Amino acid sequence: MPSLFDPIQLGAIRAPNRIFMSPLTRGRATREHVPTPIMAEYYAQRAGAGLIISEATGISRQGLGWAYAPGIWTDEQVEAWKPVVQAVHDAGGRIVSQLWHMGRLVHSDFLGGEPPVSASATTAPGKVRTYPAEDSGEIQRPYSQARALRVDEIPGILDDYAHAASNAIRAGFDGVQIHAANGYLIDQFLRDNSNFRDDEYGGSIPNRIRLLREVTQRVVDTIGADRTGVRLSPNGEVQGVNDSNPAPLFEAAAAALDDIGIAFLEMREPRPGGTRGAPDHPPIHPLMRKVFKGPLALNADYHGDDAQAALDAGEADAIAFGRTFLANPDLPRRIAEKLPLNPPRENLFYVGGAEGYTDYPRWDEAQAA
């Protein structure tokens, strides 16, 4: 079986190892969602990953509701991404842009007071980071109620994904990953506790995976299947979204993506004892593995030993690491040599600036300090 340090071909992208950097929202863009120079340093530091999957990146004004997260729908955003991507390439890395529409998780503050869109008229639980009001320092507000996306609006959503994918290639990215996980728009269509539609996008499993299939096909038609990946989260509740019978749902989704021929599938699937939610069903990736024949990456609280064990068992072809890569820019070396890891500082994940972003030391730097 392959080692974590063996190369892998992901469509047109040749990854030199199977230790991927998973998408990690960091909040270092401008208020107008334009990437900033410090992001080039951050990503270049982590260019030793087999593949960097960028932080979630908004495809449209309608689809982005996270304070200081980047977008990729304007020329200004594209131009600002170019030096970020170039820095990764100059450091010998590969990077794809994760395309994001948040659906009902966009607060109306970001939309001039208009409601966000979703599969159905629902409201996400909890609160969202937004910008402070002029008279208040408050940046956490309850989610707004979403309205159901009309069928005649869906072609516009597909256009937004195609435009963003084209912009990603224009910015120099090696490809894109469609974010269809974690309770965002596509996931809201997939799962039956957030999709109550009675049209061709609701009810049956083929109907609920229709938006995923259409978005993926449109992106593939725009930039090629060999530069298109997808992210799914097949197990457990996330941001209020769940499904009563996820196994056949995600098996069908994986089969649809295999039919389209995407370059890779990466999945967030919590495991027992996980730090970001516990599973409420047995793992679904074995079923998906049977119908999706392309490269499969798993993601959820993996370490070096159990990551290699997943490859040895044939469960996956690669493993994506999140917070450990955030805190350890030289993570592949640390795994290879079984070196201690820097702990992540969660209070600094989204606050802006270099602290907790570009100041995590590499192993050699830590020893020299």
Side-chain angles (χ1 to χ4, degrees):
M1 301 305 294
S3 160
L4 287 168
F5 304 97
D6 287 337
I8 183 172
Q9 195 72 33
L10 309 166
I13 304 167
R14 183 165 179 79
N17 63 63
R18 297 167 187 243
I19 300 171
F20 294 178
M21 178 175 166
S22 70
L24 295 157
T25 298
R26 300 308 311 275
R28 263 65 177 188
T30 70
R31 188 175 178 125
E32 292 73 36
H33 308 294
V34 178
T36 54
I38 197 173
M39 292 168 60
E41 180 182 359
Y42 167 76
Y43 282 114
Q45 288 175 340
R46 292 154 179 81
L51 178 70
I52 295 173
I53 305 170
S54 84
E55 63 203 280
T57 301
I59 65 168
S60 65
R61 172 64 282 166
Q62 180 198 66
L64 183 53
W66 188 287
Y68 303 105
I72 199 163
W73 69 88
T74 72
D75 288 342
E76 183 182 10
Q77 291 163 349
V78 172
E79 290 304 311
W81 271 116
K82 287 181 179 179
V84 178
V85 175
Q86 189 60 52
V88 172
H89 288 162
D90 288 347
R94 293 130 303 276
I95 183 170
V96 297
S97 175
Q98 190 189 59
L99 305 183
W100 198 24
H101 192 304
M102 296 174 65
R104 72 180 189 177
L105 296 170
V106 178
H107 195 277
S108 59
D109 282 358
F110 290 88
L111 304 174
E114 293 296 316
V117 299
S118 185
S120 301
T122 59
T123 304
K127 294 184 177 182
V128 61
R129 288 174 54 85
T130 181
Y131 296 120
E134 292 183 6
D135 59 350
S136 171
E138 176 62 49
I139 62 170
Q140 296 278 344
R141 294 193 176 95
Y143 285 101
S144 313
Q145 180 171 325
R147 66 172 179 83
L149 193 66
R150 301 190 311 271
V151 171
D152 66 355
E153 294 177 289
I154 289 178
I157 298 290
L158 303 183
D159 288 345
D160 289 340
Y161 274 101
H163 178 63
S166 179
N167 279 350
I169 298 303
R170 189 156 63 95
F173 282 99
D174 298 291
V176 305
Q177 184 193 64
I178 298 164
H179 196 345
N182 296 20
Y184 296 114
L185 180 68
I186 296 174
D187 208 18
Q188 292 159 28
F189 271 78
L190 288 174
R191 307 218 216 183
D192 63 11
N193 86 331
S194 55
N195 184 340
F196 305 109
R197 302 174 73 98
D198 58 6
D199 58 19
E200 62 266 41
Y201 291 90
S204 69
I205 287 175
N207 284 358
R208 283 186 280 130
I209 69 171
R210 188 182 305 274
L211 183 64
L212 170 65
R213 182 189 285 274
E214 290 180 348
V215 167
T216 305
Q217 188 64 61
R218 183 64 182 277
V219 170
V220 163
D221 290 345
T222 303
I223 66 168
D226 59 350
R227 296 193 182 276
T228 302
V230 172
R231 174 177 244 219
L232 295 172
S233 50
N235 197 20
E237 182 273 335
V238 56
Q239 301 198 100
V241 170
N242 208 345
D243 196 83
S244 63
N245 193 13
L249 169 65
F250 285 101
E251 183 178 12
L257 296 174
D258 188 73
D259 287 344
I260 294 171
I262 62 171
F264 68 97
L265 174 61
E266 184 252 349
M267 301 196 303
R268 174 192 179 273
E269 187 173 40
R271 299 185 296 155
T275 60
R276 284 292 188 271
D280 54 10
H281 294 279
I284 300 171
H285 70 263
L287 285 175
M288 300 169 73
R289 184 79 158 150
K290 292 178 180 179
V291 297
F292 183 78
K293 306 304 183 185
L296 175 69
L298 295 179
N299 174 349
D301 290 302
Y302 282 95
H303 304 283
D305 290 345
D306 58 0
Q308 183 60 56
L311 268 59
D312 290 344
E315 295 181 65
D317 302 293
I319 302 294
F321 295 82
R323 285 160 290 155
T324 48
F325 229 133
L326 178 158
N328 296 274
D330 55 347
L331 182 64
R333 178 190 174 182
R334 293 188 188 233
I335 291 176
E337 299 180 21
K338 300 187 184 301
L339 300 173
L341 300 179
N342 300 321
R345 290 168 279 166
E346 298 205 11
N347 60 313
L348 300 173
F349 279 4
Y350 313 118
V351 299
E355 189 179 9
Y357 190 58
T358 56
D359 64 345
Y360 287 104
R362 303 174 74 86
W363 176 252
D364 291 342
E365 295 168 341
Q367 300 314 296

